Amino acid sequence: METSKTRSIVFCALFVALIAAGAFIKIPTPTAPVTLQNLFTMLAGLLLGRKRGCIAVCIYIALGLIGLPVFASGGGIGYIFRPSFGYIIGFAAGAFVTGTIAHKTPNPGYTRVLAANFAGLGIIYLCGMIYYFVISAFYLNSPIGLWPLFLYCFLIYLPGDIALCILGAILGKRLIPLLRRTGLSACA
């Protein structure tokens, strides 16, 4: 029992570090650079399960809000007033949804894992776009129209994030059974 608890803590800490590092790894795409945060939050849900995956992301968020520079543009409590903070909130909800969908069966297939990733990504975008709209209109007093919101907060990032969903599904499908076989699975 103690080994299982220690393993969970180590896995959560690993994903906190990966998500933080992912904020600074930018992949150039024809539309907009994509960070690896989405990939690591997907994998947190897939490999840690919904609860532990969400906890890992929440710890990452808490570290950023207390001032550690783990977000793409730094950290601190003032980050909540940035329009892009909604995507960070969405990471936690996305990891939870990804883990929930993927682990409805003991050994999820590629299609289920990919669907879980797309559902989690959809939650991230939904949280991010709503937050962006509200902060822009009511805090920054600079409302954004629905088409520019859709274009700049969703459409330009979608191709890169679809590629990350596919990569996450490939990695998840290979790693979930491997972790279970070796007894290292945090969600077994």
Side-chain angles (χ1 to χ4, degrees):
M1 185 63 121
E2 197 61 36
T3 304
S4 173
K5 190 182 262 188
T6 303
R7 187 178 301 132
S8 292
I9 292 169
V10 169
F11 271 95
C12 283
L14 172 66
F15 274 94
V16 170
L18 286 171
I19 296 165
F24 301 101
I25 302 171
K26 294 180 172 65
I27 301 169
T29 66
T31 54
V34 174
T35 68
L36 292 185
Q37 286 177 298
N38 282 346
L39 175 65
F40 293 132
T41 58
M42 285 175 215
L43 288 173
L46 292 175
L47 301 178
L48 300 178
R50 66 181 181 187
K51 291 178 188 172
R52 292 181 186 123
C54 184
I55 289 170
V57 178
C58 288
I59 292 169
Y60 161 75
I61 294 169
L63 291 173
L65 290 177
I66 63 170
L68 294 178
V70 295
F71 300 145
S73 298
I77 194 71
Y79 220 87
I80 62 172
F81 298 110
R82 291 177 179 243
S84 61
F85 186 69
Y87 294 96
I88 295 172
I89 294 168
F91 291 155
F96 187 86
V97 167
T98 300
T100 299
I101 293 170
H103 294 287
K104 283 203 181 278
T105 62
N107 189 16
Y110 177 77
T111 304
R112 176 172 290 281
V113 174
L114 184 61
N117 286 348
F118 280 128
L121 181 65
I123 295 296
I124 293 168
Y125 276 128
L126 182 65
C127 292
M129 291 172 68
I130 290 171
Y131 197 91
Y132 197 102
F133 184 82
V134 170
I135 287 292
S136 293
F138 299 108
Y139 177 73
L140 298 176
N141 201 24
S142 178
I144 185 169
L146 292 180
W147 172 246
L149 178 73
F150 181 75
L151 178 64
Y152 297 116
C153 297
F154 173 72
L155 210 51
I156 64 171
Y157 294 102
L158 192 57
D161 285 338
I162 288 173
L164 291 180
C165 282
I166 294 168
L167 176 60
I170 292 167
L171 292 171
K173 178 62 182 136
R174 293 185 62 87
L175 291 173
I176 291 169
L178 177 67
L179 292 176
R180 284 203 172 128
R181 269 196 315 273
T182 59
L184 295 174
S185 178
C187 52

